[in-house]
Amino acid sequence: MTGSPGPIRVALADDQAVVRMGLKALIDREPDLEFAGEAADGAEALRLLAGTRPDVLLLDIRMSGMDGIETLRAIAADPALNPTRVIVVTTFELDEYVFAALRAGASGFVLKDSAPEELAHAIRVVASGEALLSPAITRKVIGRFGRHDVAPVEGLDTLTPREREMVAWVATGRSNDEIAKELVISPDTVRTHVSRAMVKLHARDRAQLVVFAVRSGLTIP
């Protein structure tokens, strides 16, 4: 939502009409959410985003035609579209598309069978500029992909040891408060180090920090 007043504008992209109907009903029942339109495939989603500029896009990763990964990459490559935060809506917590979606710019994941209040919470979290990555998903991502895609990350050498440590902790899926509790430091200290690391790595959100941590092989000391 980028801090602007008014409701959070949410668009949908899914090739199943019944799924779109359910998600639209969820959005319509929440007073702080506003339905911004729907699309049945990636190409239609890009046109929808260009015309409506929603705050959040709920995106199915497996669509016929232009799939979710291609759509994410197109959004990330277009400065006019990439302010929209993307939540991937998936059937499974982890499949072969999850890490690819993270690398392509997804800000979070929710399961299609999540409770309505969980989906609404996910939209609010991502609209506020945070990432939505559960510890379960991040652990699985690191476990499955973390040792197979290690590569240099530009800017990593500019991080202080403490900032590198914080990026590694972020990759566990923990919040600032949870990291602070683990390290017995204040949440503000964690927030400061994480923010500085994001600036140095040109990361748009915590989801990208997870990608950088996995790609560079960063682990908790």
Side-chain angles (χ1 to χ4, degrees):
M1 187 167 53
T2 67
S4 59
I8 302 167
R9 303 181 65 252
V10 186
L12 317 172
D14 195 296
D15 60 2
Q16 296 182 24
V18 67
V19 173
R20 296 198 306 273
M21 187 183 307
L23 291 173
K24 182 180 184 299
L26 163 68
I27 293 165
D28 287 341
R29 63 180 271 186
E30 298 294 329
D32 61 332
L33 306 183
E34 178 182 299
F35 180 64
E38 62 184 84
D41 59 39
E44 190 177 340
L46 295 178
R47 292 192 293 271
L48 175 65
L49 263 59
T52 63
R53 306 294 171 86
D55 300 302
V56 175
L57 172 66
L58 299 179
L59 176 67
D60 182 22
I61 209 68
R62 297 178 178 178
M63 296 184 291
S64 56
M66 187 178 191
D67 67 16
I69 300 297
E70 291 179 274
T71 306
L72 276 164
R73 289 173 180 153
I75 293 170
D78 188 335
L81 301 184
N82 65 37
T84 296
R85 304 285 180 175
V86 180
I87 300 174
V88 169
V89 184
T90 182
T91 308
F92 305 102
E93 273 198 355
L94 184 72
D95 59 26
E96 65 269 26
Y97 298 103
V98 168
F99 192 53
L102 275 175
R103 292 188 64 175
S107 290
F109 297 86
V110 292
L111 300 180
K112 286 189 177 181
D113 61 357
S114 295
E117 57 270 21
E118 292 176 357
L119 286 166
H121 173 70
I123 291 168
R124 296 182 185 107
V125 168
V126 169
S128 72
E130 294 295 323
L132 189 83
L133 294 167
S134 73
I137 287 180
T138 51
R139 279 196 299 269
K140 289 178 180 178
V141 167
I142 292 169
R144 180 165 174 176
F145 302 104
R147 300 295 171 261
H148 304 291
D149 194 33
V150 175
V153 171
E154 185 178 351
L156 194 67
D157 58 349
T158 68
L159 301 184
T160 66
R162 194 60 153 170
E163 288 164 356
R164 291 168 69 97
E165 180 185 10
M166 292 303 161
V167 173
W169 274 104
V170 167
T172 68
R174 289 173 172 83
S175 67
N176 288 344
D177 287 346
E178 291 167 335
I179 295 170
K181 191 173 295 185
E182 290 280 354
L183 299 178
V184 197
I185 58 178
S186 74
D188 284 343
T189 299
V190 175
R191 189 174 298 108
T192 297
H193 288 302
V194 170
S195 296
R196 287 174 179 168
M198 288 178 66
V199 170
K200 291 179 179 180
L201 296 174
H202 304 289
R204 64 178 291 182
D205 57 27
R206 293 169 78 94
Q208 284 201 329
L209 285 186
V210 172
V211 174
F212 294 152
V214 173
R215 288 185 61 199
S216 60
L218 282 182
T219 57
I220 299 170

